[in-house]
Amino acid sequence: KGNGEGSIYKTIDSRTGKTRWQAQITIGQKADGTLKRKTFSAQSKAEVKKKMDAYLESASTQSPTPAAEHAMQQSSMTYHDWYLKWLEIYKPDLGETTREWYMYLYDGNIGPCLGSKQLRHITPDDIQLTLNAAKQKGLATSTLNRLYTVLNATLNQATNNAILPKNPVSAIKPPKFSYGIKRPLTIDEMDRFI
């Protein structure tokens, strides 16, 4: 069931052996992705429904906590904005060449697929499609693995910061090494890299 949708059912109290009524609603997600639920108990179905309805009514009139509001604003951030913020805050000591490599990966591969997406809307399918698009360009497996590593690091940090409930990259396997023929970089790719 979705947030705020409740279910009401009969249960036996293990301590007394008497029948009780319980209501349960989903109120969100924990950081590990499992559902957070609120449970109510009462002697009658009407009583337990009244408790659940009162809780839902009070929850709907409360404003979100500052932390919840901040997390919601952060999850609305585009991947492009998060990527730049991640580089600035979590990778401040990168050398110039390494920073250029990160931007090359972003501009040529990540940005076109994920740049305009809000963090909260990025799915494992989006990650796989980004990797597939890069692979179709003929990039070496080592470059694909670096791309995977960067995606994982950026979205893992978003998960650690409680912006996302779960890192969508964790559902995707890293690219396998293959030793086929690789194409050299084009002049445009070399210019962007240098």
Side-chain angles (χ1 to χ4, degrees):
K1 296 208 177 246
N3 283 5
E5 292 180 31
S7 56
I8 298 175
Y9 51 91
K10 261 188 198 181
T11 185
I12 304 291
D13 188 323
S14 60
R15 293 173 290 144
T16 65
K18 293 182 180 178
T19 301
R20 291 189 58 80
W21 285 88
Q22 286 194 330
Q24 193 172 65
I25 56 171
T26 302
I27 57 173
Q29 262 189 334
K30 298 177 187 174
D32 65 2
T34 59
L35 298 177
K36 282 171 53 174
R37 294 187 174 99
K38 178 101 175 133
T39 304
F40 309 89
S41 294
Q43 296 295 325
S44 71
K45 185 176 183 179
E47 220 180 317
V48 80
K49 183 169 181 358
K50 188 176 176 181
K51 284 183 176 183
M52 181 177 68
D53 290 345
Y55 175 84
L56 289 172
E57 180 65 30
S58 73
S60 69
T61 59
Q62 292 177 357
S63 23
T65 63
E69 204 167 287
H70 178 70
M72 183 57 107
Q73 288 171 347
Q74 293 289 306
S75 70
S76 297
M77 181 185 296
T78 64
Y79 185 86
H80 173 80
D81 292 339
W82 174 250
Y83 191 85
L84 296 178
K85 182 176 181 175
W86 176 78
L87 280 175
E88 179 186 331
I89 296 174
Y90 300 101
K91 296 292 183 184
D93 299 328
L94 288 179
E96 188 177 331
T97 305
T98 306
R99 185 169 295 281
E100 286 174 1
W101 175 249
Y102 275 89
M103 289 314 297
Y104 164 76
L105 283 177
Y106 179 83
D107 291 337
N109 301 288
I110 302 171
C113 296
L114 299 177
S116 62
K117 275 193 163 279
Q118 290 181 341
L119 289 176
R120 66 179 171 212
H121 293 141
I122 295 175
T123 66
D125 288 346
D126 295 322
I127 301 301
Q128 189 63 61
L129 288 169
T130 301
L131 292 169
N132 292 351
K135 187 174 184 177
Q136 286 175 352
K137 291 179 183 177
L139 296 180
T141 308
S142 59
T143 305
L144 293 173
N145 271 293
R146 287 185 187 133
L147 178 61
Y148 176 91
T149 300
V150 168
L151 287 166
N152 190 45
T154 57
L155 295 172
N156 198 46
Q157 189 63 57
T159 305
N160 291 343
N161 291 13
I163 296 168
L164 295 176
K166 188 173 181 181
N167 182 352
V169 180
S170 63
I172 304 299
K173 292 181 182 175
K176 291 183 181 178
F177 277 97
S178 62
Y179 299 98
I181 299 171
K182 303 296 179 224
R183 69 164 180 79
L185 294 175
T186 65
I187 300 296
D188 287 344
E189 289 171 336
M190 283 192 281
D191 286 343
R192 276 190 295 173
F193 184 69
I194 296 172

